[in-house]
Amino acid sequence: MISLKQLSKIFKTSASTITAVDSVDLSVDEGEIFGIIGYSGAGKSTLIRILNMLERPTSGNVTVADKDMSSLSGRSLREARQEISMIFQHFNLLWSRSVKENIAFPLEIAGVAKEDRNSRVHELIDLVGLKGREDAYPSQLSGGQKQRVGIARALANNPKVLLCDEATSALDPKTTDSILDLLTDINKKLGLTIVLITHEMHVIRKICHRVAVMEAGRIVEQGPVLDVFRQPKEEMTKEFVKQVTEPEETMESISDWLHDKNQGPIIKLMFLGEDAEQPVMTELIRHCGVAVNILQGKVSKTREGSYGTLFVELQGEQENLDKALQFLEDHRVEAEVLKND
C-alpha cells in the first residue's frame, strides 16, 4: 500500500542545513496499522507529511496506493490526496460549524450531492459513536469527542489510508484508549491502512501490527511490535519499550529492594505470547526448591499476543537459584538479573 525508497528531506536556511528525513526505506502493507515512534525532532512528523505531499521530498520515491506521489501535481495530486486522509493532535475542526457540518465539509468540497452527503454523515456519526451530538459545536465537545469528529471527517471520502499525527497526545489516558479502540475497530471494519506517529509506546503496543523507530531522521529499527518488545536492539528502542515494561512508578516501587543488601537476587522476567499466560512461577517453585517473592508485575496485550513483565526476589541455596534460572531459560522466559548480592 505504501512504499518509501531512499526518502530524504533537507531544509535549508541562511545559517544551516537540516536533514529532517535521512535515506528512509519503509513499506506498509494494505490493511495494516503501522506505527512510527520517536522523540521530538526525530523527523516523524515530516515523514508523515511527505506521504500526502504536504512536504515535498528532497530525494527518493513515495508510492501510495500504486501512485507515485512525488511525480504528481495539480489536479492529479488533489485526486490522489482524496485517498489519503489525516487526523491531527489538536483536531483542526471548524469552530463555526456543528459536528455534522464539520464531517460534511470534505464532501462539499468534493461536490457530493446534499442527499448523499447527509446519508454519509449520519453513517459516520454512528461509526464513531457521536449519535445525539450531531448539532453540537466543537466548543461543546470533550477532547475525545472532538477527535471522533476529526476521524469521521477524515473518513468522509472513503480514503484508503489514514494518517494520524500524534492523534492522542492531547488526550488523557482513558480517552486515549477509547480513541485507539475506535481506530482498531475502523481498521477491522473498513480494512483501512493506518499510519500513526507518536512518542508513546503505549499507543504502539495497543494497536499497531508493526513499528519503526526514528532517531535523527533515520529509521534505526523496525519490525512486528511483539518482536520489538521482546528483543529491542537499539538503545532508543529499549528506552521506548521501558515506557511499558518498566514505567517509572514500577521502578520506584522496587527501588528499596534493589538497594537492600539483605535481600536475595532481584530478577526481571519477560514473558511472550502464550507463555505470559502459563503458570510458570508455580512450576518454578515446585521443581527448583526456591521461594519466590513477587514484587511487581504486569501483562500487556499487543495486537499479536501478550507481553508480560514480572519483578521477583528469589530465595534459596545458590545451587537452586542457578537451577531456577536454567528452568526459566528452558521455558522461554527471558530473565535479567537486576541485583545479585
Side-chain angles (χ1 to χ4, degrees):
M1 176 58 75
I2 298 173
S3 175
L4 309 180
K5 294 182 178 179
Q6 287 297 291
L7 193 70
S8 294
K9 176 64 179 181
I10 300 173
F11 294 99
K12 294 183 178 180
T13 68
S14 58
S16 64
T17 298
I18 300 172
T19 303
V21 177
D22 189 359
S23 305
V24 166
D25 291 310
L26 197 67
S27 64
V28 179
D29 298 331
E30 184 174 358
E32 183 175 30
I33 302 181
F34 192 97
I36 301 172
I37 190 168
Y39 292 121
S40 297
K44 58 189 187 299
S45 290
T46 301
L47 181 63
I48 202 170
R49 286 169 61 84
I50 290 174
L51 294 181
N52 57 6
M53 291 295 117
L54 291 176
E55 291 283 358
R56 287 274 179 180
T58 303
S59 60
N61 297 103
V62 182
T63 303
V64 181
D66 297 323
K67 294 184 177 64
D68 182 358
M69 299 296 293
S70 49
S71 69
L72 302 178
S73 61
R75 182 176 179 180
S76 58
L77 178 58
R78 289 194 295 273
E79 290 175 349
R81 280 176 173 160
Q82 289 186 359
E83 296 185 337
I84 309 170
S85 283
M86 197 165 186
I87 58 175
F88 305 89
Q89 177 180 357
H90 297 296
F91 322 124
N92 288 15
L93 302 181
L94 299 170
W95 291 81
S96 61
R97 284 176 168 249
S98 65
V99 167
K100 64 184 180 185
E101 290 169 341
N102 264 283
I103 298 171
F105 186 62
L107 298 171
E108 294 174 21
I109 295 175
V112 176
K114 185 175 182 180
E115 185 175 339
D116 292 335
R117 282 203 312 267
N118 291 338
S119 175
R120 179 62 175 157
V121 166
H122 284 102
E123 177 185 333
L124 290 166
I125 285 172
D126 285 343
L127 178 65
V128 301
L130 286 175
K131 192 170 184 179
R133 303 295 284 163
E134 300 93 329
D135 297 316
Y137 286 84
S139 61
Q140 300 170 309
L141 302 176
S142 67
Q145 289 172 330
K146 291 172 188 173
Q147 194 57 281
R148 288 173 184 271
V149 177
I151 292 170
R153 182 182 59 185
L155 297 176
N157 281 317
N158 292 300
K160 295 180 179 179
V161 176
L162 178 64
L163 308 179
C164 305
D165 186 358
E166 297 277 10
T168 60
S169 294
L171 305 175
D172 62 77
K174 185 176 180 180
T175 306
T176 291
D177 282 345
S178 71
I179 294 298
L180 296 178
D181 287 340
L182 175 60
L183 290 174
T184 301
D185 188 50
I186 289 169
N187 169 254
K188 289 179 180 177
K189 287 181 177 177
L190 307 181
L192 189 66
T193 303
I194 299 176
V195 179
L196 62 87
I197 65 170
T198 183
H199 61 275
E200 300 172 299
M201 200 63 179
H202 165 73
V203 173
I204 300 295
R205 187 269 302 171
K206 188 171 176 65
I207 72 168
C208 293
H209 298 98
R210 289 191 297 143
V211 60
V213 182
M214 283 197 77
E215 182 179 14
R218 301 183 68 88
I219 300 293
V220 297
E221 189 167 351
Q222 61 177 303
V225 171
L226 204 55
D227 290 351
V228 170
F229 263 74
R230 182 180 185 181
Q231 292 182 321
K233 297 178 176 64
E234 300 296 325
E235 285 304 315
M236 179 64 66
T237 312
K238 292 175 183 178
E239 285 185 26
F240 281 120
V241 170
K242 284 181 178 180
Q243 289 182 3
V244 176
T245 62
E246 297 180 29
E248 187 175 339
E249 58 270 22
T250 293
M251 300 313 293
E252 286 178 354
S253 71
I254 68 169
S255 62
D256 289 342
W257 293 87
L258 291 172
H259 294 94
D260 189 341
K261 296 186 179 299
N262 295 318
Q263 303 300 330
I266 306 300
I267 314 292
K268 175 188 173 185
L269 306 177
M270 291 158 280
F271 306 81
L272 185 67
E274 293 180 359
D275 296 329
E277 300 170 10
Q278 300 301 314
V280 176
M281 301 313 296
T282 302
E283 296 299 314
L284 177 72
I285 295 168
R286 181 179 299 165
H287 292 287
C288 300
V290 295
V292 178
N293 182 13
I294 296 176
L295 309 179
Q296 186 70 257
K298 181 179 182 181
V299 175
S300 300
K301 297 288 187 180
T302 74
R303 290 291 298 265
E304 305 302 324
S306 299
Y307 183 93
T309 54
L310 189 66
F311 295 87
V312 302
E313 177 203 7
L314 298 183
Q315 298 174 347
E317 299 295 329
Q318 188 60 49
E319 180 182 350
N320 289 338
L321 293 175
D322 293 339
K323 184 178 178 181
L325 291 174
Q326 185 61 52
F327 176 90
L328 292 168
E329 182 178 339
D330 293 343
H331 285 75
R332 299 186 302 172
V333 178
E334 295 182 32
E336 178 184 354
V337 179
L338 302 182
K339 181 179 82 72
N340 190 13
D341 295 325

